[in-house]
Amino acid sequence: MAIICPKCASANLDDASYCHACQAPLKTSAPVKPLAAFAYLLGFVSAAILLNLEPYNQDVALKFHARQSIAFSVSWLGLNIVLLVFISFTPAFLSNLLEYVRGIANLVLAVVWVYLMYQALTGRQYRLPVLADWADAFGS
């Protein structure tokens, strides 16, 4: 995993102490890591709070986690809404099967959610394949 520079947003090695591009120190202060995990805790609500609080909306890593949290939680909610619509309009056998699929999907997404919080708490920026690109598009 790469450490993202909070000053210039360039990727660096895990064991780097200073950014290779701008020479800024890469070791973040301790309060930023729990706040990055907090961005995932309440989904888009906590992420929106962090994106609007003044000292925290300047940190590149924290903004990334908040934006990815918004993309992840909105996608999770959208998947549940789509599945619930299909469940309500299908026959009983198919709706039971879709309800089972929905339960498995929610279990897998809950594990991913906990993993994202763990990665944020350890200072890493795990990029979800499609959602991280959407999160980057939120910032532009």
Side-chain angles (χ1 to χ4, degrees):
M1 300 286 164
I3 297 176
I4 305 298
C5 176
K7 186 174 180 185
C8 69
S10 63
N12 295 280
L13 298 175
D14 278 341
D15 58 349
S17 298
Y18 294 94
C19 177
H20 68 85
C22 68
Q23 300 303 317
L26 293 176
K27 302 301 178 198
T28 58
S29 60
V32 173
K33 292 178 185 177
L35 286 173
F38 174 71
Y40 293 102
L41 186 64
L42 301 175
F44 55 84
V45 174
S46 59
I49 289 170
L50 288 176
L51 283 175
N52 289 311
L53 286 178
E54 183 57 40
Y56 307 116
N57 62 2
Q58 305 301 319
D59 188 272
V60 174
L62 195 58
K63 286 195 309 188
F64 166 77
H65 285 295
R67 289 179 183 142
Q68 183 166 268
S69 172
I70 290 172
F72 181 73
S73 60
V74 167
S75 298
W76 191 349
L77 180 66
L79 175 71
N80 273 294
I81 289 172
V82 167
L83 285 175
L84 284 173
V85 166
F86 279 113
I87 287 169
S88 65
F89 288 116
T90 57
F93 170 73
L94 226 64
S95 72
N96 289 338
L97 180 66
L98 284 176
E99 188 64 43
Y100 178 74
V101 168
R102 181 175 163 262
I104 295 296
N106 280 330
L107 181 65
V108 169
L109 289 171
V111 169
V112 171
W113 175 63
V114 170
Y115 180 73
L116 288 173
M117 283 194 294
Y118 172 75
Q119 290 296 315
L121 196 57
T122 58
R124 296 186 179 99
Q125 290 188 352
Y126 179 77
R127 296 179 58 86
L128 291 170
V130 174
L131 295 179
D133 295 335
W134 291 349
D136 291 340
F138 293 158
S140 54

